[in-house]
Amino acid sequence: DVKVTQSSRYLVKRTGEKVFLECVQDMDHENMFWYRQDPGLGLRLIYFSYDVKMKEKGDIPEGYSVSREKKERFSLILESASTNQTSMYLCASSRVSIGIRTNEKLFFGSGTQLSVL
Amino acid sequence: KNEVEQSPQNLTAQEGEFITINCSYSVGISALHWLQQHPGGGIVSLFMLSSGKKKHGRLIATINIQEKHSSLHITASHPRDSAVYICAVINSGNTPLVFGKGTRLSVIA
C-alpha cells in the first residue's frame, strides 16, 4: 500500500515563527499536493508539484512556500506564521497518467493540525 | 472554475438504512472522486469514476455525465460508516481536483 507520511500530527507554534511541514511518500509518485482544511470550507489547494523542483500555486498560496528537492519529499513552509493559518494541513500524492496529470487515485497523509498562537 | 455542491451537508441514519449522498458540479469534467474522511483526519479514496457505476462492498457510486451529477450509496449502513464523504472533480486538462465541502454522515446503532 502507498504510504504518505506527515511528520507531525499536532503542532503548536507562535505568531511570526517559521514553520516547516514535511511530507514523504514511498510509491515514487510524481504528483504531490498540499491542502488545508477548515470547517465549512472543505479542502483548499495551497501548492502542488508535478516533478522534482517544480511547483505551482494552488488556490490559496499567500503566506506559504514549498520545496521539492527530492521526488519523495514535499515540504510546506509558513514563512511567518499567523493565527489565520491555524488549520488542518493535508498532504497528498498521486501517479501521473499520460495526458491528464491528475486523473489518478489520490493518497493522503493523516494530516497535521497546526495551531498558531 | 468548477463549482461542486454536495447534499445533504449533514445526515443521520439508523443502522441498516440505505443512504444516498449527492454531488453536482457546474462544468464538464473528465473524472470524479469519492473520498472518505474518518474522525482524526485521514482521507481515503473510495472511487474514481468517469462514467456509469462502480461497486465495492456495500458502497456504490454512480455518475451521470450529461446531468453533471454523481451519487454515493451505502447499503445496510453501519456505525463504522460514520465519516465525512467528499466529492471531488477533475476538470479537463492538467488541473488539480476541485472539492466539495463534504457530507457528514452519522450512523446510529
Side-chain angles (χ1 to χ4, degrees), chain A residues 9 35 37 99 101-103 106, chain B residues 31 33 37 40 94-95 97 99:
Chain A
R9 187 71 183 90
Y35 297 93
Q37 186 179 33
R101 286 176 174 159
T102 51
N103 195 12
L106 266 185
Chain B
H33 287 259
Q37 185 175 27
N94 296 331
T95 56
L97 293 169
F99 290 84

Side-chain angles (χ1 to χ4, degrees), chain B residues 3-24:
Chain B
E3 300 292 330
V4 179
E5 297 287 336
Q6 287 187 236
S7 63
Q9 283 186 302
N10 295 282
L11 181 57
T12 300
Q14 293 289 325
E15 184 174 358
E17 281 187 26
F18 180 84
I19 288 163
T20 296
I21 299 170
N22 296 298
C23 175
S24 297

Side-chain angles (χ1 to χ4, degrees), chain B residues 20-39:
Chain B
T20 296
I21 299 170
N22 296 298
C23 175
S24 297
Y25 49 92
S26 58
V27 179
I29 63 171
S30 59
L32 180 145
H33 287 259
W34 280 103
L35 308 164
Q36 179 192 55
Q37 185 175 27
H38 277 288

Side-chain angles (χ1 to χ4, degrees), chain A residues 35-52:
Chain A
Y35 297 93
R36 64 177 282 177
Q37 186 179 33
D38 300 287
L41 296 178
L43 282 151
R44 293 182 291 167
L45 181 65
I46 306 170
Y47 268 96
F48 58 104
S49 170
Y50 288 143
D51 203 349
V52 176

Side-chain angles (χ1 to χ4, degrees), chain A residues 62-79:
Chain A
E62 295 78 20
Y64 303 95
S65 62
V66 289
S67 173
R68 185 122 183 245
E69 295 296 318
K70 292 185 178 181
K71 192 175 185 180
E72 67 272 18
R73 187 179 297 269
F74 192 36
S75 303
L76 180 69
I77 304 152
L78 286 65
E79 296 291 342

